[in-house]
Amino acid sequence: MDARFLGIAELVEAPAVAVVVDVMRAFTVAAWAFAQGAEKIVLAESLDEALALKVRHPRSVVLKDGPPAPGFDLVNSPGLLRSVDLGGRTVVQKTTAGTVGALAVKEASLVLCASFVVAEATARLLRTRECDSATFVVTGEDGHADEDLACAQYIARRATGAGTDATEFLRRAGESRAAAELAEGVRQGVHPDDVALCLELDRFPFAMVATLEDSLMVLRPCTVPSLTDEASI
């Protein structure tokens, strides 16, 4: 598979296949939201849009980066989200990098949102869809976030079907600037377990696919065939 790794600002046109990576923490949080029962996640373009969606859909759960704020139910932390029952609820998510990256490629034929916790399922979906090429959007730090690049490179290698050891990729992510800022409390709205939760490889068995629904970018979990099933495709 031909893989390109670009920052959000480097996207000049929508690719056919886009894998948007935000390890710390948007798409780790999104995976946890689905694990906690969320039906779908609406990726909001702005904080104002997120709050407006909450008004239109009062049962939705709205979350953002940073500290708690009026009108928002949760912050973008897997450690804080993992104890919340989201059964059947719609989550509205607005973050600094991850949701921006997904919206930047909303015209792509296939948009996957990814992090280490869904890495293998994401790679397997790329394999089952027989994707010849993919653009990996490195969302953090203007395309220079090493945790996102490491995850993107790992998924790209796994998508070829090659046996790839995740150790070095996880080490890079654990030593990244984002990990240090989370661990040291530089960022707000953080749980002490956030870094560890973001580095849990293949915690969940699903990939996450974003599609346009009534002009909104909506993320849903996608069950991917097992290795046994894949062999028969």
Side-chain angles (χ1 to χ4, degrees):
M1 186 184 71
D2 179 27
R4 295 193 304 161
F5 305 92
L6 301 176
I8 297 171
E10 297 175 290
L11 294 164
V12 294
E13 60 183 6
V17 176
V19 183
V20 187
V21 182
D22 189 329
V23 173
M24 297 185 186
R25 294 164 287 172
F27 298 139
T28 300
V29 166
W32 270 99
F34 289 129
Q36 293 303 107
E39 177 186 355
K40 62 183 179 181
I41 298 174
V42 178
L43 305 177
E45 292 200 18
S46 66
L47 296 176
D48 287 342
E49 183 186 47
L51 292 175
L53 288 167
K54 172 77 170 178
V55 172
R56 286 162 50 190
H57 306 284
R59 288 197 71 252
S60 62
V61 176
V62 186
L63 62 85
K64 60 178 279 294
D65 277 335
F72 289 86
D73 303 293
L74 297 167
V75 295
N76 194 48
S77 161
L80 295 172
L81 188 71
R82 63 183 169 175
S83 60
V84 179
D85 181 4
L86 296 173
R89 307 285 289 276
T90 294
V91 172
V92 179
Q93 185 181 35
K94 170 65 179 85
T95 70
T96 306
T99 60
V100 176
L103 290 163
V105 294
K106 62 184 179 182
E107 302 298 334
S109 300
L110 175 64
V111 179
L112 305 179
C113 295
S115 61
F116 279 111
V117 297
V118 293
E120 178 58 28
T122 303
R124 197 181 305 157
L125 184 57
L126 290 170
R127 293 200 301 270
T128 59
R129 297 284 183 95
E130 298 183 345
C131 298
D132 294 327
S133 64
T135 295
F136 289 80
V137 184
V138 180
T139 60
E141 299 177 32
D142 296 322
H144 298 290
D146 200 36
E147 74 282 2
D148 293 339
L149 180 58
C151 184
Q153 290 171 335
Y154 176 71
I155 293 171
R157 292 193 186 186
R158 291 295 301 149
T160 67
T164 302
D165 188 348
T167 303
E168 177 62 16
F169 300 95
L170 291 169
R171 182 197 64 76
R172 286 169 51 194
E175 295 178 357
S176 67
R177 174 178 164 185
E181 290 181 351
L182 289 173
E184 295 166 9
V186 174
R187 301 187 186 187
Q188 295 181 291
V190 177
H191 187 278
D193 293 341
D194 277 358
V195 172
L197 292 173
C198 290
L199 298 178
E200 284 191 331
L201 185 66
D202 303 330
R203 170 91 190 215
F204 304 114
F206 51 80
M208 299 186 294
V209 180
T211 55
L212 281 170
E213 299 181 17
D214 298 325
S215 79
L216 295 174
M217 198 64 167
V218 178
L219 189 63
R220 297 180 186 272
C222 177
T223 301
V224 185
S226 68
L227 292 174
T228 301
D229 294 336
E230 184 181 337
S232 64
I233 292 176

